Amino acid sequence: EIVMTQSPGTLSVSPGERATLSCRASQSVSSKLAWYQQKPGQAPRLLIYAASTRATGVPASFSGGGSGTEFTLTISSLQSEDSAVYYCQQYNNWPLTFGGGTKVEIK
Amino acid sequence: EVQLVESGGDLVQPGGSLRLSCAASEFTFSSYAMNWVRQAPGKGLEWVSIISGDGSSTDYADSVKGRFTISRDNSKNMLYLQMNSLRAEDTAIYYCAKRYTTGWHFFDYWGQGSLVTVSS
């Protein structure tokens, strides 16, 4: 099973500042990596797939990068509505696995 | 707009059984594999099971294999999860989630979730 490790656990960022979230895979997942956003009491929402492709309707302020074992999700200018937990998920191997999440807080 | 609506969550005793349902609409249900993903209270996401569009192929996480059964009724646009021999560690919100497309095993639409609580 591929273990996905996200860091940091919590990220506190001022409005308008950049937030960079990391996701590391225990073995290569190529570019088969997705990112989700989950707000309290809501289901996860797909943000990014294929490591860097934004899903439909996702603002350009969200961008993904990386391949192999190291990935990043960047929020270029943090807005209050971006406060959420963000999860990465690999889909290169079975079982599908998620990272433990990074909570993004507005400072 | 794609809609997924789960139902059937409840409080059940350890060792008991429960059946979750997910009603799908606004997409060609039979063309897409469907999944169940769960989230224990205050915890992260865990993939549980997948079923192919025609229902002929299924897979499960090791944590539920032999206890849970995924199925679908394409004539009714319904997805199911039969959960037997439930344990306290199965307590979670269960989401049904649509796979993006063939070969791309991530989830572009999620339901709102159904809470299963296993406790005596």
Side-chain angles (χ1 to χ4, degrees), chain A residues 34 36 38 42-44 46 49-50 87 89 91 94-96 98, chain B residues 39 43-45 47 50 59 95 100 104-108 110-111:
Chain A
Y36 302 88
Q38 187 178 35
Q42 296 185 17
L46 177 67
Y49 62 92
Y87 294 97
Q89 178 230 327
Y91 52 97
W94 294 91
L96 307 177
F98 293 86
Chain B
Q39 186 170 36
K43 302 298 184 183
L45 301 166
W47 171 79
I50 185 172
D59 199 8
Y95 296 100
Y100 178 66
W104 295 70
H105 300 285
F106 57 90
F107 315 112
D108 56 351
W110 300 63

Side-chain angles (χ1 to χ4, degrees), chain A residues 18-99:
Chain A
R18 176 187 298 259
T20 301
L21 289 65
S22 295
C23 175
R24 174 177 292 176
S26 60
Q27 63 188 76
S28 177
V29 298
S30 184
S31 293
K32 295 186 176 181
L33 191 285
W35 289 94
Y36 302 88
Q37 175 193 64
Q38 187 178 35
K39 297 181 179 180
Q42 296 185 17
R45 170 199 178 197
L46 177 67
L47 293 178
I48 300 283
Y49 62 92
S52 61
T53 303
R54 275 190 302 277
T56 302
V58 175
S61 57
F62 290 89
S63 62
S67 66
T69 62
E70 300 283 344
F71 300 88
T72 58
L73 174 70
T74 301
I75 310 171
S76 60
S77 178
L78 199 74
Q79 307 298 311
S80 58
E81 60 265 29
D82 299 328
S83 178
V85 179
Y86 294 82
Y87 294 97
C88 60
Q89 178 230 327
Q90 67 81 21
Y91 52 97
N92 191 60
N93 288 74
W94 294 91
L96 307 177
T97 50
F98 293 86

